[in-house]
Every structure is written in structure tokens, then in C-alpha cells.
Coordinates of all heavy atoms in Angstrom, one line a residue:
W14 N 12.5 2.0 -3.2 CA 11.8 2.9 -2.2 C 10.8 3.8 -2.9 O 10.9 4.1 -3.9 CB 12.7 3.8 -1.4 CG 13.6 3.2 -0.3 CD1 13.5 2.9 0.9 CD2 15.1 2.7 -0.8 NE1 14.6 2.4 1.4 CE2 15.4 2.3 0.5 CE3 15.8 2.9 -1.8 CZ2 16.8 1.9 0.5 CZ3 17.2 2.3 -1.7 CH2 17.7 1.9 -0.6
V15 N 9.6 3.8 -2.2 CA 8.5 4.8 -2.8 C 8.1 5.7 -1.6 O 8.1 5.3 -0.4 CB 7.3 3.9 -3.3 CG1 7.7 3.2 -4.6 CG2 6.8 3.0 -2.3
E16 N 7.6 6.9 -2.0 CA 7.3 7.8 -1.0 C 5.7 7.7 -0.6 O 5.3 8.1 0.4 CB 7.3 9.3 -1.6 CG 6.5 9.7 -2.8 CD 6.7 11.1 -3.1 OE1 7.1 11.9 -2.3 OE2 6.1 11.4 -4.2
D17 N 5.0 6.8 -1.5 CA 3.6 6.4 -0.9 C 3.4 5.1 -1.3 O 3.1 4.5 -2.4 CB 2.7 7.3 -1.9 CG 1.2 7.2 -1.5 OD1 0.9 6.3 -0.7 OD2 0.3 8.0 -1.8
R18 N 3.5 4.2 -0.1 CA 3.4 2.8 -0.4 C 1.9 2.4 -0.6 O 1.7 1.3 -1.1 CB 4.0 2.1 0.8 CG 3.3 2.3 2.2 CD 3.9 1.5 3.3 NE 3.3 1.6 4.5 CZ 3.6 2.4 5.5 NH1 4.6 3.3 5.3 NH2 3.1 2.4 6.6
F19 N 1.1 3.2 0.0 CA -0.3 2.7 -0.3 C -0.7 2.9 -1.8 O -1.5 2.1 -2.3 CB -1.2 4.0 0.5 CG -0.9 3.7 2.0 CD1 -0.1 4.8 2.6 CD2 -1.3 2.9 2.8 CE1 0.2 4.8 3.9 CE2 -1.0 2.7 4.1 CZ -0.2 3.8 4.7
Q20 N -0.4 4.0 -2.5 CA -0.5 4.2 -3.8 C 0.1 3.1 -4.7 O -0.4 2.5 -5.6 CB -0.1 5.5 -4.2 CG -0.4 5.8 -5.8 CD 0.4 7.1 -6.2 OE1 1.5 7.2 -6.2 NE2 -0.6 8.1 -6.6
Y21 N 1.4 2.7 -4.2 CA 2.2 1.8 -4.9 C 1.4 0.4 -4.9 O 1.4 -0.3 -5.9 CB 3.6 1.8 -4.2 CG 4.4 0.6 -4.9 CD1 5.2 1.0 -6.0 CD2 4.6 -0.6 -4.3 CE1 6.1 -0.2 -6.7 CE2 5.4 -1.6 -4.7 CZ 6.1 -1.3 -6.1 OH 7.0 -2.3 -6.5
V22 N 1.0 0.0 -3.7 CA 0.3 -1.2 -3.5 C -0.9 -1.4 -4.2 O -1.4 -2.4 -4.9 CB 0.3 -1.6 -2.1 CG1 -0.6 -2.9 -1.9 CG2 1.6 -1.9 -1.4
Q23 N -1.7 -0.3 -4.2 CA -3.0 -0.2 -5.0 C -2.8 -0.4 -6.4 O -3.6 -0.9 -7.0 CB -3.7 1.1 -4.6 CG -4.4 1.3 -3.3 CD -5.6 0.3 -3.2 OE1 -6.4 0.3 -4.1 NE2 -5.7 -0.3 -2.1
S24 N -1.6 0.1 -7.0 CA -1.4 0.1 -8.4 C -1.2 -1.3 -8.8 O -1.4 -1.7 -9.8 CB -0.3 0.9 -8.7 OG 1.0 0.4 -8.2
L25 N -0.6 -2.2 -8.0 CA -0.2 -3.7 -8.3 C -1.1 -4.6 -7.7 O -1.2 -5.7 -8.3 CB 1.2 -3.8 -7.7 CG 2.4 -2.9 -8.3 CD1 3.6 -3.2 -7.5 CD2 2.6 -3.2 -9.7
C26 N -2.0 -4.2 -6.8 CA -2.9 -5.2 -6.2 C -4.3 -4.4 -6.0 O -4.6 -4.2 -4.8 CB -2.4 -5.6 -5.0 SG -3.2 -7.2 -4.4
P27 N -5.0 -4.0 -6.9 CA -6.1 -3.0 -6.8 C -7.2 -3.5 -5.9 O -8.0 -2.7 -5.3 CB -6.8 -3.0 -8.3 CG -5.7 -3.5 -9.1 CD -4.8 -4.3 -8.3
K28 N -7.4 -4.9 -5.6 CA -8.4 -5.3 -4.7 C -7.9 -5.3 -3.3 O -8.7 -5.8 -2.3 CB -8.8 -6.7 -5.1 CG -9.4 -6.8 -6.5 CD -9.9 -8.3 -6.9 CE -10.6 -8.2 -8.3 NZ -11.1 -9.6 -8.7
S29 N -6.8 -4.8 -2.9 CA -6.4 -4.7 -1.7 C -7.3 -3.9 -0.7 O -7.8 -2.9 -1.2 CB -4.9 -4.0 -1.5 OG -3.9 -4.8 -2.2
T30 N -7.6 -4.4 0.4 CA -8.3 -3.6 1.4 C -7.5 -2.7 2.2 O -6.2 -2.9 2.1 CB -9.0 -4.6 2.4 OG1 -8.1 -5.2 3.2 CG2 -9.8 -5.6 1.6
P31 N -8.0 -1.7 2.9 CA -7.1 -0.9 3.7 C -6.3 -1.8 4.7 O -5.0 -1.3 5.1 CB -8.1 0.0 4.4 CG -9.2 0.2 3.5 CD -9.4 -1.3 2.8
M32 N -6.8 -2.7 5.2 CA -6.0 -3.5 6.2 C -4.7 -4.1 5.7 O -3.9 -4.2 6.3 CB -6.9 -4.7 6.7 CG -8.0 -4.2 7.6 SD -7.3 -3.5 9.1 CE -6.5 -5.1 9.9
N33 N -4.7 -4.4 4.3 CA -3.6 -5.1 3.7 C -2.4 -4.1 3.6 O -1.3 -4.4 3.5 CB -3.9 -5.5 2.2 CG -5.0 -6.6 2.2 OD1 -5.9 -6.5 1.6 ND2 -4.6 -7.7 2.9
V34 N -2.7 -2.7 3.6 CA -1.7 -1.7 3.7 C -1.8 -0.8 4.8 O -1.7 0.4 4.8 CB -1.7 -0.9 2.3 CG1 -1.0 -1.8 1.1 CG2 -3.0 -0.5 2.0
H35 N -2.1 -1.5 6.0 CA -2.4 -0.6 7.1 C -1.2 0.1 7.5 O 0.0 -0.4 7.3 CB -2.8 -1.7 8.3 CG -3.4 -0.9 9.5 ND1 -2.6 -0.5 10.5 CD2 -4.7 -0.7 9.8 CE1 -3.3 0.1 11.3 NE2 -4.7 -0.1 10.9
P36 N -1.3 1.3 8.2 CA -0.1 2.0 8.6 C 0.8 1.3 9.6 O 1.9 1.6 9.7 CB -0.8 3.3 9.4 CG -2.0 3.5 8.6 CD -2.7 2.0 8.4
D37 N 0.2 0.3 10.2 CA 1.0 -0.6 11.0 C 1.9 -1.4 10.3 O 1.6 -2.4 9.7 CB 0.1 -1.4 11.9 CG 0.8 -2.5 12.9 OD1 2.1 -2.4 12.8 OD2 0.2 -3.0 13.6
T38 N 3.1 -1.0 10.1 CA 4.1 -1.7 9.1 C 4.3 -3.2 9.5 O 4.8 -3.9 8.6 CB 5.4 -0.9 9.1 OG1 6.0 -0.9 10.6 CG2 5.3 0.4 8.7

């Protein structure tokens, strides 16, 4: 579990667009 999934995904997949980690789970 992470408290900030946006930061977590950005760290592992830097080219992700906001849509890839959209708040819509």
C-alpha cells in the first residue's frame, strides 16, 4: 500500500500521462 499512488506510479513509469493514474480507480 502507498499513501500517494500518483507519485508511486510516476516513479516507476515516468512517461505516464495523468489519464493513466486518473482518480477514477
Side-chain angles (χ1 to χ4, degrees):
W14 289 274
V15 292
E16 67 174 343
D17 187 340
R18 66 177 182 269
F19 304 102
Q20 181 187 64
Y21 179 83
V22 171
Q23 283 289 316
S24 70
L25 298 173
C26 199
K28 294 184 180 180
S29 296
T30 66
M32 283 298 293
N33 293 127
V34 286
H35 193 274
D37 181 355
T38 56

